[in-house]
Structures are given as C-alpha cells and as structure tokens.
C-alpha cells in the first residue's frame, strides 16, 4: 500500500495532498514546483523560455521536495554559459490548448522521483507578491502521472481541494509504522531485543514468542490474561481500523467545511460536478440547477461500488498467487526434465566411440539452450505476474483503508477515480495471463541407431508436420442453425499432433475463418444462419508447424426454425412445461421469456396458441435482443419490438411508445402469428390469420430472438417449424 501513499513528484509520503482535476493527487509543495505559466503571459517568462532572443546568463532552480529536502539542481552549465540556449528553449517550449483549458509542456529538470519539473516563473517587475499557495493568472499545473494540464484561476493552488481522506490515511500509516518499529520485547536478554509478538493487557508487558512461553505460560495464574497484538499491528488496541474509533461520519474529527463557504459543512453531493457541496452552494452558487443527492446515500453507494469492484481484483490476486506456485513448480519440473535429458544424452554419447565426442558437445548445447529459453520465459512470467500482483495488492490495501474511513465527503472526492482504477486493475488480468507460456516437457528425441558412418550426422530427430485429418462424414450433421463436425487422424500415423484448427466460411461462399482451435476431434458451432450452406475444413498442427487441410465438407442448415422457450434466460416467475413449449407466469406483473433460436438472416414465422385468457390481460408477442429487460412488458425498453393485445384491439410497442392501434383482440383459443423478414428488415403480426395493420416495424437489423411477455392470467403454447404463410388476408385499417 505504501506505493499508493507516495507523491509522484517527490517520491515521499504525501504532505498536504491536493486533488487535481484528473483525480490524481500531488503534494502542495510539489504543486508549487511544477506550476508553470502559459503562453498568454509569455512576456513574463524568464529569457530561457523564449523561443528566440539572447541566451540567459543563469537560471535559478526552485526549491524542490527532494528526498533530502534540498532544492532541485540548477540548469546545466552549458545553458548558463549561453551555449545551446536554442536547444534548451525547445526543451522548455510550452503548448497551450486555450479552447479546452488544458495544455501540455515539455519540462527540463528532474525531481528525485524521475518526474521532470520546470523552474518557478518569477513575477513581472512591480507585481505584488501572490499569497502562499496562489499562482499568477495564466499559470497552469500539469499532472505528473497522466500529463493533463489544468489552468489556475485567481485563487491559484488554493482552488484545488485538499484530499483530507488521503492525508488521514498517510498519518495513520506513519503512526502504525512507527509503533510497529518501536514494539520490542521488554523481557529479552538478547541485544537488540526481539520484536514483540503479543501484548498482555493485564501485565502491560510486550513479549516476543520465546519470552511469552517462558514468562507467560498458557497454564497457571496467567492463563486468563488477554493477549493482544502489539501496538501498530492490525487488531491492536488503538491500532485503528476505523480511523480512531470515533462515532459519526467524521470519526471524532471536526467536520469538513465547504471550500467556497467556510462556515458551512458539506451536506449534499452534486452528481453533475462529482463533488460534495453545502447548502449555500445550492442556494446561490453554480450548483443551484445541478442534480444533487444526499451526501450519506452517495457515500454508501460509492462504497458499495468500490467494494464490489475489489471483489473481482481480490479473486484475480488469489488466482495470481496460485499461478505463481504453479510457475515455481514448473521451474522445478523444467530443471528436473532438463537434467534427465542431459543424463540420457551423455549416456548415449558415451556409449559411442570417440568420434561422437564433438557431436555430443553440440547436442548438449541445444538442450541447454532449450532449457535456458524455457527458464527465461517462465522467469519473465514470474516477474511480470509478481509486479502486477504487487500493484493489485497495494491498490487493494489502499482501497480497504479508504473504505474504513468515515468521512463521506472525503471519500466521495476520490471514490470515482478509485473505482475506475480498481476496474482497470481487474481488466489487466486478461484471459490467458495466468497460463504458462511454455511446458515443462522437452520435445527432443535422440536416435542412437545409425551406423558408424552416420555418426557425423547424429542430431535430434526433427518433428514432421502432421498428416491430413480425415472427416468422419457419418458423424457430421446439422440441427436448426447449428452444425456438428467430427474428424480423426489417419491410421498408422506416428507424427505427434498438438491440436486442430477448424475453419468455416460465412454461408455465402465467402472467406474461411477459424471457429475452433483445440485438441478435441468433435465440435459443434451454434448461431449460424438458417437456410444457408456452409463449407468446413480442418487441419492439424504441432511444434513443427501446421499440416495440410482436409477435404471440404458442405453442410446445409434447416430451412425453418425449430425452437422452444429458453428456461435459462426466462424471468424466474415464468413457468415452462410441455418440453418448454408452454409458458405461464406466477406473477400478476408482466414477465419476459425468450426463445432458444437467434435470427440474423432470412424469413421466419412462428405462432403462439392462447390456451388460457382470464380477466382481459395484455400479453405481448414479438422479438428481442438477448439483454432485454425481463421484469416488465415486452417493448417498454429499446431492446424489444412487440405487439401487445387485449380482448378487443392491439398496439405496436417499442421504446415504451405504442402506435398503430388496430381492431381485433385475442381470447382463449386464439392464435397469434409472428413473421420476421430480415431480408426486408420488417416485422408483421397476425391474429387468427388476420394481419394486424401494415408491417409493425421497419429497418430492423441485428440478431433477434423470439420473445413473449405475460402474467398469471395467460397461458400460451409455442408452435415452430412452420412455413411462411403464402396467403395473407388484407389488414384492417387502424382507428384514428
């Protein structure tokens, strides 16, 4: 966690930290060091900063927050002597983006932490001295981490908010570290005394582990004494997990006051500005028309978001620790296997005549290089994973300390940035990051059978490319819009195979693309187009390369779709029966269920038979995307297109907007048909064979699934595998 508490400029623990507009933090003394003037006031810059003109004679460096507390180094002697002034002027050139208020600069000097800083800009002659913490008008401050620059107003650095939460955590961290360092055993005869392991609260004596067993045994009169961790360690009295144990939002500290109104405490949170505000800010300030919420509610909400994000990072950190153990075991296996191969190779070579001596050395070199390569790859993975784990662990510890803080306004100052950082930290553990890049096995085989005249050609057997796989046509099949392919290697094939690559075209005779890579010889591909012809082929690979393609097999998907209701995507109040073809609902509210098929091409038609219809409810029929909202009527969000209907009339619904009212309702025994034409990109509905108005929706593109919403007053049965109706009755005209 210590890395999270260090200033990116001086490299030391934060002192009077302030929050920059980019949500990063910097010490207030360091902020004075890296503040520079923008080109708007270029006439006040020192001669060194002007792009043209005579070279300066000397340039003083500002006092910096270095590791030794001294000032930053002066500019180099070449510049001070007047030589190379143009070069240094280029290095110190300023670039401003006056429209946005942000800019960038190329600094010259370096702080102890490696961050480049500019000298302080002297005030123009005759100008009044600015108060402490304020900068001249036209000054800017560039974040040393993300390099975004922010212009300073008349208040200067006082315009940035003080990060009280971070300051309290730094203070608590320093106190805990000092207490832990000072906790020594008080009964040790050793010099220096051993670190204390426990504190007896009755005896008020610190014991190391050895002295505890000798002077404070578990049995006898001391058995009932309470032993606690020494001061400064987690769980110790006064060690503080709650920032001092104070009650209320401030933990016993004085409540923070508004930066704009010194006499007012923070009471609300401005969602638009992402900042705590007071009552006067809402009454007469710039936040009067902004969206504001209660400070305590937003505090709890952001704490919950940060805690939820931390869970994902914690899981990844646990996986990383297990992965490190796996890598270390892999190191040992590589070492052992490498030694075994060397011993085998030496035994084979020593069995041969002296003519093999020089060849033996060459072979040993190959094995050693292979082993060193594998070891290097694994060590690189260990170092990389260890670095990521340390960063994630430090961020977790810092965030946990932030969560323990009871200052809502301080927490909300930094919570958004912390949530984003935790989410980015979780995303860095991409798929495959916790998998070894090399195996412990050495794919080397020595052939010692050749005759004596072949000794000079003695070498490791080079692996050959794998042969052509054979497609097992009797096992290849199609079902709905999915295809299944099976293959095997030819008999008497001794070349090793590490895996297979299955390729499929787009169903229109286009280019092939990889759809599967692995060791299995059976693969099913879902989500294809209906009524389409696909070409498939497969090839094998090993460490020597990729073998030739197999013969191409042609697969035809179904003309019409056979599907059922999908129990995995249905709302929990939906009840399915009749092999998932009949749907009812346990709730009086509308609930959504999707079909198991997905359509992106072609013309599709299905029907729903109304088995039960009580109290005139409004079921809705149509299509939806996979992420449609499941707990309200179909069509009320932008992920569904539907027709909802009662016993007299029907309406089209999308984005909670209903249009095109048409006469003709449903009752028990009615049939509702849905026609999805993705060639014309429209959707049409039928009730008992009667088309309900013109096509309900136009310009529909994408991937859709059949959808239905109903409540407990309705029961419907799905009928699929139907041909598109050829004869369509004329639609009824909508009522105006």
């Amino acid at each position: 966690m210590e890395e999270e508490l260090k200033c990116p400029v001086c490299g030391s623990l934060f002192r009077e930290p302030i929050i920059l507009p980019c949500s990063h933090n910097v010490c207030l003394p360091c902020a004075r060091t890296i503040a520079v003037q923008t080109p708007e006031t270029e006439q006040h810059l020192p001669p060194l900063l002007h792009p043209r003109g005579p070279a300066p004679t000397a340039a003083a460096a500002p006092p910096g927050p270095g590791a030794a507390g001294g000032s930053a180094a002066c500019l180099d002697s070449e510049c001070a002597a007047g030589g190379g002034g143009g070069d240094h002027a280029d290095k110190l050139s300023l670039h401003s983006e006056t429209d946005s208020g942000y800019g960038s600069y190329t600094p010259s000097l370096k702080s102890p932490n490696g961050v480049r800083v500019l000298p302080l800009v002297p005030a123009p002659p005759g100008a009044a001295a600015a108060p402490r913490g304020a900068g001249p008008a036209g000054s800017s401050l560039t974040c040393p981490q993300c390099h975004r620059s922010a212009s300073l107003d008349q208040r200067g650095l006082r315009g940035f908010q003080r990060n009280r939460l971070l300051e309290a955590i730094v203070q608590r961290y320093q106190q805990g570290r000092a207490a832990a360092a000072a906790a020594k055993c008080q009964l040790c005869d050793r010099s220096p005394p051993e670190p204390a392991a426990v504190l007896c609260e009755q005896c008020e004596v610190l014991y190391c582990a050895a002295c505890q067993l000798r002077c404070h045994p578990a049995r006898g009169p001391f058995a009932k004494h309470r032993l606690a961790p020494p001061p400064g360690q987690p769980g110790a009295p006064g060690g503080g997990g709650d920032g001092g144990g104070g009650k209320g939002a401030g933990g016993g500290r004085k409540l923070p006051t508004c930066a704009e109104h010194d006499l007012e405490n923070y009471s609300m949170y401005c969602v638009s500005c992402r900042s705590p505000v007071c009552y006067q800010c809402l009454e007469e300030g710039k936040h009067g028309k902004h969206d504001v919420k209660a400070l305590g509610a937003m505090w709890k909400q952001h704490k919950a978001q940060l805690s939820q994000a931390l869970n994902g990072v914690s899981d990844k950190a646990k996986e990383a620790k297990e992965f490190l153990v796996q890598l270390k075991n892999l190191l040992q296996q590589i070492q052992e296997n490498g030694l075994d191969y060397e011993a085998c190779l030496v035994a084979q070579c020593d069995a041969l005549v002296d003519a093999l001596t020089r060849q033996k050395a060459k072979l040993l070199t190959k094995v050693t290089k292979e082993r060193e390569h594998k070891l290097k790859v694994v060590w690189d993975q260990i170092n990389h994973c260890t670095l990521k784990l340390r960063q994630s662990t430090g961020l977790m510890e810092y965030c946990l300390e932030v969560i323990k803080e009871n200052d809502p306004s301080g927490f909300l100052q930094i919570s958004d940035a912390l949530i984003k950082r935790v989410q980015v930290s979780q995303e860095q553990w991409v798929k495959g990051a916790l998998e070894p890049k090399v195996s412990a096995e050495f794919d080397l085989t020595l052939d010692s059978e050749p005759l004596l005249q072949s000794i000079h050609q003695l070498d490791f057997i080079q692996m050959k490319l794998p042969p052509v796989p054979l497609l097992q046509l009797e096992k290849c099949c199609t079902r709905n819009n999915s295809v299944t392919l099976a293959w095997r290697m030819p008999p008497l094939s001794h070349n090793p195979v590490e895996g297979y690559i299955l390729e499929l075209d787009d169903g229109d005779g286009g280019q092939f693309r990889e759809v599967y890579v692995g060791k299995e010889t059976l693969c099913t591909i879902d989500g294809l187009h209906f009524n389409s012809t696909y070409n498939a082929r497969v090839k094998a690979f090993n460490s020597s390369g990729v073998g030739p393609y197999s013969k191409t097999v042609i697969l035809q998907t179904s003309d019409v779709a056979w599907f059922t209701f999908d129990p995995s995507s249905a709302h929990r109040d939906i009840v399915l029966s009749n092999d998932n073809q009949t749907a009812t609902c346990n709730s009086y509210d509308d609930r959504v269920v999707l079909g198991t098929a997905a359509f992106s091409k072609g013309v599709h038609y299905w029907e729903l038979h109304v088995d039960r219809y009580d109290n005139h409810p409004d079921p809705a029929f149509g299509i939806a995307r996979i992420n449609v909202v499941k707990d309200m009527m179909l069509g009320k969000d932008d992920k569904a297109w539907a027709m909802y209907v009662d016993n007299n009339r029907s309406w089209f619904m999308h984005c909670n907007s209903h249009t095109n009212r048409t006469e003709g309702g449903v009752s028990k025994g009615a049939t509702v048909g849905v026609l999805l034409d993705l060639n014309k990109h429209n959707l049409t509905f039928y009730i008992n064979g009667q088309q309900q108005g013109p096509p309900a929706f136009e310009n529909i593109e994408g991937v859709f699934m059949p959808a239905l919403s109903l409540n407990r007053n309705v029961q419907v049965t799905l009928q699929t595998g139907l041909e598109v109706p050829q004869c369509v009755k004329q639609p009824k005209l909508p009522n105006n």
Side-chain angles (χ1 to χ4, degrees):
M1 184 181 68
E2 185 173 349
E3 294 298 325
E4 298 286 336
L5 305 181
K6 288 184 178 180
C7 173
V9 177
C10 63
S12 303
L13 295 177
F14 281 106
R15 297 171 296 164
E16 304 179 67
I18 58 176
I19 305 177
L20 302 181
C22 58
S23 298
H24 290 124
N25 301 281
V26 69
C27 295
L28 181 60
C30 298
R32 299 191 186 101
T33 303
I34 63 177
V36 296
Q37 283 190 345
T38 57
E40 285 77 6
T41 55
E42 203 169 55
Q43 65 274 16
H44 302 314
L45 296 177
L48 180 62
L49 297 181
H50 288 290
R52 296 182 178 86
T57 58
S71 62
C74 295
L75 298 175
D76 55 39
S77 58
E78 180 182 354
C79 178
D87 294 340
H88 285 281
D90 290 339
K91 294 178 182 179
L92 293 173
S93 62
L94 300 175
H95 305 279
S96 175
E97 299 170 6
T98 54
D99 291 340
S100 62
Y102 289 95
S104 60
Y105 70 95
T106 307
S108 173
L109 303 182
K110 282 188 176 181
S111 72
N113 200 35
V115 178
R116 293 182 178 271
V117 298
L118 278 176
L120 288 175
V121 179
R132 176 179 176 85
S139 296
S140 65
L141 182 67
T142 300
C143 175
Q145 291 182 275
C146 64
H147 306 294
R148 292 184 63 185
S149 298
S151 300
L152 304 182
D153 55 16
Q154 296 298 329
R155 297 176 298 172
L157 296 178
R158 293 178 300 171
F160 297 123
Q161 297 187 27
R162 185 87 162 266
N163 195 336
R164 300 181 306 276
L165 189 61
L166 177 58
E167 194 170 2
I169 293 176
V170 169
Q171 182 179 6
R172 187 165 65 239
Y173 177 77
Q174 290 176 322
Q175 292 174 351
R177 189 169 58 177
K184 301 292 184 180
C185 179
Q186 296 175 313
L187 297 179
C188 261
D189 297 331
R190 302 177 182 86
S191 181
E194 293 289 327
V198 294
L199 167 67
C200 178
E201 296 184 350
Q202 282 72 24
C203 303
E204 297 184 353
V205 175
L206 292 168
Y207 297 96
C208 65
C211 293
Q212 176 195 352
L213 295 176
R214 185 177 69 252
C215 305
H216 205 288
R219 294 185 178 182
F222 299 105
K224 296 184 179 181
H225 285 198
R226 185 174 183 274
L227 301 178
Q233 296 186 5
D242 58 353
K247 298 180 179 179
R253 295 191 299 270
K254 180 182 177 182
L255 292 176
T257 57
C258 178
E260 301 290 338
H261 311 93
D262 296 338
L263 300 180
E264 295 290 339
N265 295 330
Y266 289 122
S267 58
M268 301 294 289
Y269 179 77
C270 178
V271 179
S272 303
C273 300
R274 299 179 181 271
S275 173
V277 295
C278 70
Y279 178 78
Q280 287 191 4
C281 291
L282 302 179
E283 291 292 329
E284 56 191 43
K286 63 180 181 180
H287 305 280
K289 297 183 179 180
H290 290 180
D291 182 17
V292 295
K293 294 186 178 181
L295 190 67
M298 293 300 295
W299 172 43
K300 293 180 180 179
Q301 178 182 341
H302 282 222
K303 269 195 175 184
Q305 292 178 3
L306 181 57
S307 300
Q308 184 178 3
L310 276 177
N311 290 334
V313 178
S314 177
D315 294 340
K316 292 298 180 182
K318 182 179 179 181
E319 293 180 16
K321 291 179 181 178
E322 296 174 353
F323 179 58
L324 285 175
V325 174
Q326 180 183 356
L327 290 178
K328 292 178 181 178
N329 293 335
L330 184 62
L331 281 176
Q332 183 178 358
Q333 293 177 10
I334 292 175
Q335 291 280 14
E336 294 174 355
N337 292 342
L339 294 175
D340 291 342
Y341 269 87
E342 287 185 1
C344 181
L345 179 62
V346 170
Q348 289 178 332
C349 291
D350 288 346
L352 301 177
V353 293
D354 295 340
L356 297 176
T357 303
R358 289 188 296 271
Q359 195 71 16
K360 179 183 67 175
K362 294 180 182 179
L363 297 175
L364 282 172
T365 302
K366 288 187 177 182
V367 175
T368 302
K369 287 183 178 180
E370 179 70 9
R371 186 188 68 209
E372 290 177 351
H373 169 70
K374 288 178 176 289
L375 292 175
K376 182 180 182 301
V377 171
V378 176
W379 271 117
D380 289 344
Q381 274 195 283
I382 288 178
N383 295 334
H384 182 69
C385 186
T386 301
L387 177 62
K388 283 189 175 182
L389 179 60
R390 184 170 65 249
Q391 293 173 348
S392 297
T393 304
L395 180 60
M396 288 171 55
E397 293 176 355
Y398 172 62
C399 292
L400 290 174
E401 288 295 325
V402 169
I403 292 177
K404 294 176 184 178
E405 188 63 25
N406 292 326
D407 181 4
S409 59
F411 177 85
L412 292 172
Q413 284 179 327
I414 64 174
S415 58
D416 282 323
L418 279 181
I419 293 171
K420 293 179 181 178
R421 287 188 59 192
V422 171
Q423 292 172 346
V424 170
S425 177
Q426 181 179 358
E427 293 171 357
Q428 74 177 350
W429 300 98
V430 296
K431 182 179 181 181
L434 301 181
E435 297 177 1
K437 293 183 178 180
V438 296
S439 66
E441 300 298 327
F442 283 66
D443 298 327
L444 305 172
T445 304
L446 184 66
D447 184 8
S448 59
E449 298 296 329
L451 299 175
L452 185 60
Q453 60 267 28
S454 302
I455 289 178
H456 293 290
Q457 286 77 36
L458 184 64
D459 199 350
F460 292 105
I461 295 177
Q462 297 296 323
M463 295 182 60
K464 298 181 181 179
L465 294 176
V468 179
L470 300 178
L471 288 168
Q472 296 181 277
L473 299 180
E474 67 276 10
K475 296 183 179 179
C476 297
C477 62
T478 63
R479 184 181 182 275
N480 260 352
N481 60 337
S482 64
V483 298
T484 299
L485 295 106
W487 60 89
R488 62 179 176 85
M489 295 305 295
L492 304 178
S493 174
H494 302 290
N495 295 340
V497 175
E498 295 181 3
Y500 302 90
I501 300 175
L502 176 62
E503 295 182 354
L504 204 69
D505 68 1
D506 59 358
D508 288 329
Q511 294 183 350
F512 284 87
R513 66 187 189 279
E514 293 183 2
V515 295
Y516 171 76
V517 177
K519 297 181 179 180
E520 300 294 332
T521 58
L522 183 70
C523 180
T524 298
I525 303 99
D526 298 315
L528 303 178
H529 298 307
F530 285 88
N531 195 21
S532 299
T533 301
Y534 288 89
N535 297 301
R537 63 188 183 183
V538 65
K539 57 185 177 180
F541 64 88
N542 58 21
S543 59
S544 296
V546 180
Y549 285 105
S550 68
K551 294 182 179 180
T552 300
V553 61
I554 301 175
L555 300 166
Q556 174 74 34
T557 56
S558 301
D559 294 339
V560 295
W562 296 85
F563 58 92
T564 62
F565 292 121
D566 186 8
S568 63
S569 64
H571 191 278
R572 60 179 179 273
D573 293 334
I574 295 291
V575 179
L576 302 179
S577 59
N578 189 23
D579 294 331
N580 295 331
Q581 293 180 342
T582 300
T584 56
C585 182
N586 285 334
S587 173
Y588 285 103
D589 297 320
D590 295 303
R591 300 293 186 247
V592 173
V593 58
L594 302 178
T596 56
F599 305 120
S600 59
K601 178 183 175 183
V603 182
H604 309 279
Y605 178 77
W606 62 94
E607 293 181 349
L608 299 110
H609 185 268
V610 180
D611 302 325
R612 180 168 61 86
Y613 187 83
D614 302 328
N615 300 325
H616 310 304
D618 299 324
F621 310 85
I623 59 175
R625 303 196 189 277
I626 187 64
N627 56 344
V628 65
V629 178
K630 307 291 196 317
D631 57 358
M632 62 184 183
M633 178 182 286
L634 191 69
K636 285 199 172 183
D637 63 353
D638 61 346
K639 303 295 189 301
W641 294 255
M643 174 188 72
Y644 75 96
V645 58
D646 60 12
N647 61 321
N648 292 320
R649 58 187 66 84
S650 63
W651 297 261
F652 298 151
M653 172 88 80
H654 176 61
C655 288
N656 202 22
S657 174
H658 56 276
T659 58
N660 206 301
R661 188 183 72 174
T662 305
E663 295 296 329
V666 296
S667 60
K668 181 179 179 181
T671 299
V672 177
V674 182
L675 176 61
L676 175 62
D677 189 344
L678 291 174
N679 296 333
K680 297 181 179 179
H681 307 290
N682 60 32
L683 181 66
T684 308
F685 295 95
Y686 302 87
I687 297 180
N688 296 326
Q690 178 72 47
Q691 182 177 344
Q692 296 298 106
F697 303 100
E698 304 285 347
N699 301 321
I700 297 179
E701 294 184 356
V703 180
F704 306 95
M705 308 181 75
L708 165 72
S709 70
L710 67 165
N711 59 21
R712 69 184 306 167
N713 294 316
V714 187
Q715 175 180 309
V716 298
T717 297
L718 179 65
Q719 299 178 7
T720 62
L722 304 176
E723 296 288 342
V724 177
Q726 298 299 323
C727 298
V728 178
K729 298 179 182 179
Q730 292 297 321
K732 293 183 178 180
L733 296 177
N735 294 333
N736 293 325

